Amino acid sequence: MWSHQNLQLMLCTALSCVSSAAGLILVFGYEGRDVMVSCPYDPGYERYQKYLCNSSCGYSDFLIRSSQENKTKYSVYDDKTTRVVTVTISDLHFDDAGKYWCGVTRAGKDIYTEVQLEVKADRCCDTVNNIQGNEDGSVTISCPYDSQSDNKLKFFCRGNRPSTCLQQAVITSSNTQDGRFRLSDDRKSGIFTVTISSLTLKDSGSYLCGVQRNSGFDVFSAVDLEVKEWCCVESKNLSGIAGRAVTFQCPYPPHHRNNMTFLCKGAQRSDCTYMTYQGRFTLHNVNAAFFSVVITKLEAEDSGTYWCRSDPEWIVGNYTQFHLTVEEVEQRGLSIIEAQYWLFAALPVLLLILIIILVKVCRTKRRQLNEAAVDMNTSKLEAADAQDVTSGEDIYKNDDVAAMFRQQKRTQQRTHVLPGTADEDQVIYENNPTEQIYCNHFI
């Protein structure tokens, strides 16, 4: 026995009830995502059964009824207060696109509302705008839109899924400032811009610029942001002495010829105090290769990290990092070069002192040797005299003859060597040791 409901369904099918649709509902969804089909109904039908069907709404075309439990693919909720029945279709596929009907069961003809579902791939876009930025810097992204979207909501999100972009937007035109993100809308040019400051490496990735539509799919444009790491920056270590000067040499590319040069001090580029080229900081030697900054009369407080560049933006390769250490004079020992310098400077004085000492030593030694030689000769003469006297007395036995004999022997000993002969040299060398001769030659 057929039920009354089955009979109604057969009658509706035979009478083409779906042709009497009240209005048209357009629904748009993305592949793999969910979509909600909301169908309003008139007062007085709150207690009536609602359903969603497709094709011709035959018995086998019913997808879900409000009296049924929710299914995996379809779920239904009837809000009797607002008089809207909502059917959610999960995990959309392209073959889900097409015509549907929202129906309200009643005696006679059911009430139908036509639903047209369009399914689109959840990705964007065929054209991607590539943007580059630098770590710790900022970047501005331009998002164009058509003239019909002047008053529409603009938004900016991360990723490339249009289905969730608005819900996950990092900034919108209704809230133009949010942390590091700022949105500005120029309706005359038809472009809204998003500025991201204090960039980090994690900011690299895909983004979407979106414009909300009242009906249909929202409009998107894709952006790919690459944040460059400060990996190739030249870093130098410098040391200076308090009270003296130190020089920074910064690269200066030819295409920066008309750019202003900068020197700033700080541990981070984002927190760097510009040093004016006045007082102890002066600019020198600006040419096509580099420019120099000289710090005179260094102070202990000058120690720290410096950055010099010749470009208004922090671009990789356009700046140099310096780590300056200022040392006090008392705490700084002599270097090897300085020690060698002082050694060579003092060497002539040391040699002169050594010569003077040697001369004095030789003269003293010579005097002592001469005195020793005289004493020796005197002793020999006295011994010889004594021997001569004894011999004379024994021979002649006469005091006068012995005295004459001693005088004669003394004269012969003193004059038996002629000056200028080889025997004279022999006598000199015999009476003067080698050390005395060396001193004589040295003097």
PDB file of all heavy atoms in Angstrom, residues 4-15:
ATOM      1  N   HIS A   4       0.703   8.153   1.379  1.00  0.00           N
ATOM      2  CA  HIS A   4       0.207   9.412   0.821  1.00  0.00           C
ATOM      3  C   HIS A   4       1.346  10.238   0.210  1.00  0.00           C
ATOM      4  O   HIS A   4       1.167  10.899  -0.811  1.00  0.00           O
ATOM      5  CB  HIS A   4      -0.502  10.203   1.921  1.00  0.00           C
ATOM      6  CG  HIS A   4      -1.001  11.538   1.471  1.00  0.00           C
ATOM      7  ND1 HIS A   4      -2.043  11.692   0.560  1.00  0.00           N
ATOM      8  CD2 HIS A   4      -0.586  12.814   1.791  1.00  0.00           C
ATOM      9  CE1 HIS A   4      -2.249  12.972   0.357  1.00  0.00           C
ATOM     10  NE2 HIS A   4      -1.371  13.679   1.094  1.00  0.00           N
ATOM     11  N   GLN A   5       2.548  10.142   0.837  1.00  0.00           N
ATOM     12  CA  GLN A   5       3.692  10.913   0.346  1.00  0.00           C
ATOM     13  C   GLN A   5       4.139  10.393  -1.006  1.00  0.00           C
ATOM     14  O   GLN A   5       4.424  11.169  -1.916  1.00  0.00           O
ATOM     15  CB  GLN A   5       4.858  10.841   1.347  1.00  0.00           C
ATOM     16  CG  GLN A   5       6.046  11.715   0.940  1.00  0.00           C
ATOM     17  CD  GLN A   5       7.137  11.646   1.999  1.00  0.00           C
ATOM     18  OE1 GLN A   5       7.067  10.789   2.884  1.00  0.00           O
ATOM     19  NE2 GLN A   5       8.086  12.546   1.899  1.00  0.00           N
ATOM     20  N   ASN A   6       4.171   9.062  -1.173  1.00  0.00           N
ATOM     21  CA  ASN A   6       4.569   8.499  -2.462  1.00  0.00           C
ATOM     22  C   ASN A   6       3.601   8.904  -3.548  1.00  0.00           C
ATOM     23  O   ASN A   6       3.985   9.149  -4.690  1.00  0.00           O
ATOM     24  CB  ASN A   6       4.658   6.981  -2.365  1.00  0.00           C
ATOM     25  CG  ASN A   6       5.841   6.550  -1.492  1.00  0.00           C
ATOM     26  OD1 ASN A   6       6.795   7.295  -1.336  1.00  0.00           O
ATOM     27  ND2 ASN A   6       5.725   5.332  -0.921  1.00  0.00           N
ATOM     28  N   LEU A   7       2.339   8.947  -3.168  1.00  0.00           N
ATOM     29  CA  LEU A   7       1.334   9.363  -4.123  1.00  0.00           C
ATOM     30  C   LEU A   7       1.552  10.804  -4.540  1.00  0.00           C
ATOM     31  O   LEU A   7       1.418  11.155  -5.723  1.00  0.00           O
ATOM     32  CB  LEU A   7      -0.081   9.181  -3.524  1.00  0.00           C
ATOM     33  CG  LEU A   7      -1.251   9.587  -4.433  1.00  0.00           C
ATOM     34  CD1 LEU A   7      -1.244   8.735  -5.708  1.00  0.00           C
ATOM     35  CD2 LEU A   7      -2.576   9.430  -3.689  1.00  0.00           C
ATOM     36  N   GLN A   8       1.917  11.650  -3.594  1.00  0.00           N
ATOM     37  CA  GLN A   8       2.184  13.056  -3.924  1.00  0.00           C
ATOM     38  C   GLN A   8       3.383  13.178  -4.851  1.00  0.00           C
ATOM     39  O   GLN A   8       3.360  13.970  -5.782  1.00  0.00           O
ATOM     40  CB  GLN A   8       2.448  13.854  -2.646  1.00  0.00           C
ATOM     41  CG  GLN A   8       1.205  14.173  -1.850  1.00  0.00           C
ATOM     42  CD  GLN A   8       1.511  15.046  -0.644  1.00  0.00           C
ATOM     43  OE1 GLN A   8       2.629  15.029  -0.130  1.00  0.00           O
ATOM     44  NE2 GLN A   8       0.511  15.783  -0.198  1.00  0.00           N
ATOM     45  N   LEU A   9       4.410  12.380  -4.583  1.00  0.00           N
ATOM     46  CA  LEU A   9       5.603  12.443  -5.413  1.00  0.00           C
ATOM     47  C   LEU A   9       5.295  12.042  -6.840  1.00  0.00           C
ATOM     48  O   LEU A   9       5.754  12.681  -7.796  1.00  0.00           O
ATOM     49  CB  LEU A   9       6.702  11.545  -4.828  1.00  0.00           C
ATOM     50  CG  LEU A   9       7.334  12.023  -3.527  1.00  0.00           C
ATOM     51  CD1 LEU A   9       8.294  10.968  -2.981  1.00  0.00           C
ATOM     52  CD2 LEU A   9       8.049  13.359  -3.736  1.00  0.00           C
ATOM     53  N   MET A  10       4.461  11.018  -7.012  1.00  0.00           N
ATOM     54  CA  MET A  10       4.106  10.579  -8.357  1.00  0.00           C
ATOM     55  C   MET A  10       3.271  11.643  -9.054  1.00  0.00           C
ATOM     56  O   MET A  10       3.465  11.906 -10.245  1.00  0.00           O
ATOM     57  CB  MET A  10       3.319   9.267  -8.306  1.00  0.00           C
ATOM     58  CG  MET A  10       4.174   8.080  -7.851  1.00  0.00           C
ATOM     59  SD  MET A  10       3.274   6.538  -7.936  1.00  0.00           S
ATOM     60  CE  MET A  10       2.956   6.411  -9.695  1.00  0.00           C
ATOM     61  N   LEU A  11       2.375  12.243  -8.328  1.00  0.00           N
ATOM     62  CA  LEU A  11       1.558  13.292  -8.928  1.00  0.00           C
ATOM     63  C   LEU A  11       2.413  14.486  -9.332  1.00  0.00           C
ATOM     64  O   LEU A  11       2.215  15.069 -10.392  1.00  0.00           O
ATOM     65  CB  LEU A  11       0.467  13.728  -7.942  1.00  0.00           C
ATOM     66  CG  LEU A  11      -0.642  12.694  -7.676  1.00  0.00           C
ATOM     67  CD1 LEU A  11      -1.567  13.189  -6.571  1.00  0.00           C
ATOM     68  CD2 LEU A  11      -1.443  12.461  -8.987  1.00  0.00           C
ATOM     69  N   CYS A  12       3.377  14.862  -8.432  1.00  0.00           N
ATOM     70  CA  CYS A  12       4.245  16.004  -8.745  1.00  0.00           C
ATOM     71  C   CYS A  12       5.097  15.715  -9.953  1.00  0.00           C
ATOM     72  O   CYS A  12       5.321  16.579 -10.800  1.00  0.00           O
ATOM     73  CB  CYS A  12       5.133  16.338  -7.546  1.00  0.00           C
ATOM     74  SG  CYS A  12       4.243  17.148  -6.206  1.00  0.00           S
ATOM     75  N   THR A  13       5.571  14.468 -10.066  1.00  0.00           N
ATOM     76  CA  THR A  13       6.397  14.111 -11.212  1.00  0.00           C
ATOM     77  C   THR A  13       5.578  14.169 -12.484  1.00  0.00           C
ATOM     78  O   THR A  13       6.032  14.659 -13.525  1.00  0.00           O
ATOM     79  CB  THR A  13       6.985  12.707 -11.024  1.00  0.00           C
ATOM     80  OG1 THR A  13       7.759  12.692  -9.837  1.00  0.00           O
ATOM     81  CG2 THR A  13       7.864  12.329 -12.197  1.00  0.00           C
ATOM     82  N   ALA A  14       4.359  13.645 -12.408  1.00  0.00           N
ATOM     83  CA  ALA A  14       3.493  13.633 -13.589  1.00  0.00           C
ATOM     84  C   ALA A  14       3.098  15.032 -13.990  1.00  0.00           C
ATOM     85  O   ALA A  14       2.966  15.340 -15.184  1.00  0.00           O
ATOM     86  CB  ALA A  14       2.240  12.788 -13.307  1.00  0.00           C
ATOM     87  N   LEU A  15       2.897  15.902 -13.001  1.00  0.00           N
ATOM     88  CA  LEU A  15       2.462  17.261 -13.307  1.00  0.00           C
ATOM     89  C   LEU A  15       3.622  18.227 -13.510  1.00  0.00           C
ATOM     90  O   LEU A  15       3.389  19.429 -13.671  1.00  0.00           O
ATOM     91  CB  LEU A  15       1.565  17.771 -12.169  1.00  0.00           C
ATOM     92  CG  LEU A  15       0.255  17.005 -11.960  1.00  0.00           C
ATOM     93  CD1 LEU A  15      -0.461  17.519 -10.707  1.00  0.00           C
ATOM     94  CD2 LEU A  15      -0.649  17.155 -13.188  1.00  0.00           C
TER      95      LEU A  15
END
